[in-house]
Amino acid sequence: MALPQTKMDATEARISALTLPEGGWSEPARRDALARLRAMGLPTARDEYWKYTRPDTLVSADAPSAAVLEADDEAPLFEARDRLKIVFVDGVFSAEESDDLSLEGVTIDRLAEAKDIHWAKDLYGVLETAGQTPVARPLAALNTAFASDGVLIHVTGKVSKPINLIYRHEVDTSDATLHHVIKLDAGAEVTLLENGPAAARFNKCIEVDVADSATLHHIRAQGRDHERRAATHIFARLGQESTFKSFTLTVNGVLTRNEVVIDITGDDAVAHVAGACMGDGAFHHDDTIFVTHDAVNCESRQVFKKVLRNGATGVFQGKILVKPGAQKTDGYQISQSLLLDGDSQFLAKPELEIYADDVACSHGSTSGAIDEEGLFYLRARGVPRGTAEDLLTIAFIAEAVQEIEDESLQDELVARVSAWLARRRG
């Protein structure tokens, strides 16, 4: 079926503003992604999975300007933690600010510098391509075609310290596209941290292949620039007895769309994806999740909490697909919003599609105001109203934050939420 002319024109305008990297092992995957992008076209508000989120500023030929937030009132996240730092400034790798990429149990290469014969050739664009069915994800195809850089991480053992991808925004018209590929061998384990606003407009894709009995812990914090826009994708494939756990905290930003596509292919695997966002005013935050169970005795959890005020908008689209034969599936999905005024809104579309008969799957979605009974209880014990509201807000997001296994990381992120609330109250 031919694309509508307006969609075709918009897609070609975006493509013409970019340069396709040529040569090297990734070129066939890039050209395939470009062909797929032209066939599906960039998203519009008429597309089913974009009806709650206007993609205009994510697909325009030129990136909208986003002022850089000069924030010197707090140290960068994870600063006190022993970690390997990899820094990108407006989508450009900064060797001066990054650590040496050597670390026992892992090899790390840059996408822009990887040799012609590279293990990532068998993964780059592969999981993204698979994730285009049954729902088209054209911004991910755009990323695979045009990503200028990223990291290729091959985890061969249990890595002693986290790998921290740090994204810095310095130019108010920056338009960054990064693509990361992560491969975990059988029994390997690593923690991946991400933080920073990245660019005025940011398109990021991560492909993760988690082999049998391997474990990936992923924790990211998106913020704090008020005017930034971002579209991110994670495509994960899980082997037997593997574990994938991802948590995202989002603060500020005009528009954020986080998509996670998980394909559970090995028996006894575990996939948890969770998130919390804090939005104020011109803030639109969209979590779109698709988890496919295609193996026996596997567990998945989706836990998302959104705190919204002053007209902010939160969106959750989450689906659990249980294929025939995927017996003993345990699938759990919850999405909740805390609306701190009458102007904000939460739009939710939870879905279950089940073709096996021995499963335990559930989903729920709620939206409401702050707990007046809890507020009264705290006020009656002398807690000021603003502080009481902050405490109840932190309690509200607790279920999502507790998806992080490392309690010290939980504490660090909760401290950032507390600081954000205090600034807003002040």
Side-chain angles (χ1 to χ4, degrees):
M1 183 176 178
L3 291 179
Q5 190 63 44
T6 54
K7 195 168 193 176
M8 186 183 301
D9 291 345
T11 301
E12 290 301 326
R14 181 73 178 112
I15 290 172
S16 66
L18 299 167
T19 301
L20 186 75
E22 296 185 352
W25 57 267
S26 66
E27 184 173 3
R30 291 180 183 277
R31 293 198 174 278
D32 176 72
L34 179 58
R36 290 187 285 109
L37 174 62
R38 283 192 160 117
M40 68 181 80
L42 287 171
T44 71
R46 289 180 174 271
D47 295 336
E48 175 67 19
Y49 271 77
W50 285 90
K51 68 179 182 179
Y52 299 134
T53 300
R54 293 189 62 87
D56 310 40
T57 56
L58 295 173
V59 303
S60 60
D62 298 316
S65 177
V68 179
L69 178 65
E70 300 296 338
D72 56 3
D73 56 344
E74 61 186 20
L77 264 172
F78 314 128
E79 190 72 9
R81 191 171 297 271
D82 182 23
R83 69 216 195 277
L84 188 152
K85 297 184 295 182
I86 303 175
V87 181
F88 291 90
V89 181
D90 291 316
V92 178
F93 175 73
S94 175
E96 297 78 12
E97 298 175 77
S98 299
D99 293 334
D100 182 271
L101 301 185
S102 300
L103 182 63
E104 186 176 357
V106 63
T107 60
I108 304 173
D109 298 306
R110 285 180 56 205
L111 174 61
E113 295 182 345
K115 304 296 184 183
D116 280 352
I117 300 175
H118 198 278
W119 60 263
K121 182 178 181 180
D122 295 330
L123 280 179
Y124 186 86
V126 173
L127 302 187
E128 174 264 304
T129 302
Q132 298 287 350
T133 303
V135 177
R137 306 180 195 280
L139 289 178
L142 176 77
N143 181 293
T144 298
F146 293 102
S148 57
D149 210 343
V151 288
L152 311 173
I153 301 174
H154 183 191
V155 186
T156 57
K158 295 186 183 296
V159 183
S160 60
K161 59 184 178 181
I163 298 170
N164 187 187
L165 304 181
I166 302 169
Y167 308 115
R168 289 183 37 221
H169 174 203
E170 291 188 351
V171 178
D172 60 7
T173 57
S174 58
D175 192 9
T177 305
L178 294 177
H179 193 113
H180 308 311
V181 180
I182 304 172
K183 178 182 179 181
L184 286 84
D185 288 351
E189 183 172 357
V190 71
T191 296
L192 180 69
L193 307 175
E194 295 186 277
N195 62 286
R201 180 170 66 181
F202 189 34
N203 183 326
K204 182 188 67 179
C205 184
I206 302 179
E207 296 181 281
V208 183
D209 190 28
V210 188
D212 296 352
S213 302
T215 300
L216 174 68
H217 298 282
H218 174 235
I219 299 96
R220 64 177 168 177
Q222 299 172 310
R224 293 176 46 210
D225 289 7
H226 300 298
E227 298 176 349
R228 61 174 174 75
R229 293 166 172 83
T232 77
H233 295 80
I234 298 174
F235 297 94
R237 180 172 62 193
L238 277 63
Q240 185 174 341
E241 297 181 347
S242 64
T243 300
F244 172 88
K245 293 189 175 183
S246 176
F247 172 84
T248 301
L249 172 67
T250 305
V251 176
N252 294 343
V254 172
L255 173 60
T256 304
R257 164 101 165 194
N258 294 326
E259 296 197 36
V260 180
V261 181
I262 300 174
D263 193 8
I264 303 176
T265 63
D267 295 346
D268 302 298
V270 174
H272 291 192
V273 56
C277 78
M278 318 290 293
D280 195 336
F283 172 93
H284 187 106
H285 189 274
D286 181 336
D287 285 302
T288 293
I289 316 298
F290 200 114
V291 178
T292 298
H293 285 263
D294 196 14
V296 175
N297 197 39
C298 296
E299 171 187 302
S300 69
R301 287 175 58 85
Q302 301 174 40
V303 181
F304 287 86
K305 302 293 186 87
K306 300 179 188 286
V307 181
L308 308 167
R309 66 180 174 188
N310 293 333
T313 297
V315 175
F316 174 79
Q317 301 180 104
K319 183 166 185 175
I320 299 172
L321 169 62
V322 182
K323 289 191 172 183
Q327 306 293 0
K328 307 294 183 182
T329 288
D330 182 358
Y332 173 76
Q333 179 192 94
I334 187 73
S335 60
Q336 297 177 316
S337 71
L338 178 62
L339 305 180
L340 299 182
D341 57 41
D343 298 324
S344 300
Q345 62 175 337
F346 176 56
L347 307 169
K349 184 185 178 185
E351 297 179 87
L352 298 176
E353 187 174 345
I354 301 170
Y355 298 99
D357 55 14
D358 185 7
V359 302
C361 294
S362 64
H363 66 72
S365 184
T366 63
S367 184
I370 203 158
D371 179 9
E372 290 295 334
E373 185 175 328
L375 185 61
F376 175 80
Y377 177 89
L378 292 171
R379 293 295 309 280
R381 280 149 184 80
V383 180
R385 183 181 183 89
T387 303
E389 289 179 347
D390 292 354
L391 290 172
L392 292 171
T393 298
I394 292 170
F396 169 76
I397 68 170
E399 182 183 2
V401 176
Q402 287 168 3
E403 289 294 316
I404 303 171
E405 286 197 6
D406 186 325
E407 291 187 2
S408 66
L409 284 170
Q410 291 183 24
D411 293 341
E412 188 167 357
L413 291 176
V414 168
R416 289 308 168 97
V417 171
S418 298
W420 182 87
L421 292 169
R423 285 194 299 272
R424 291 300 185 182
R425 183 160 36 87

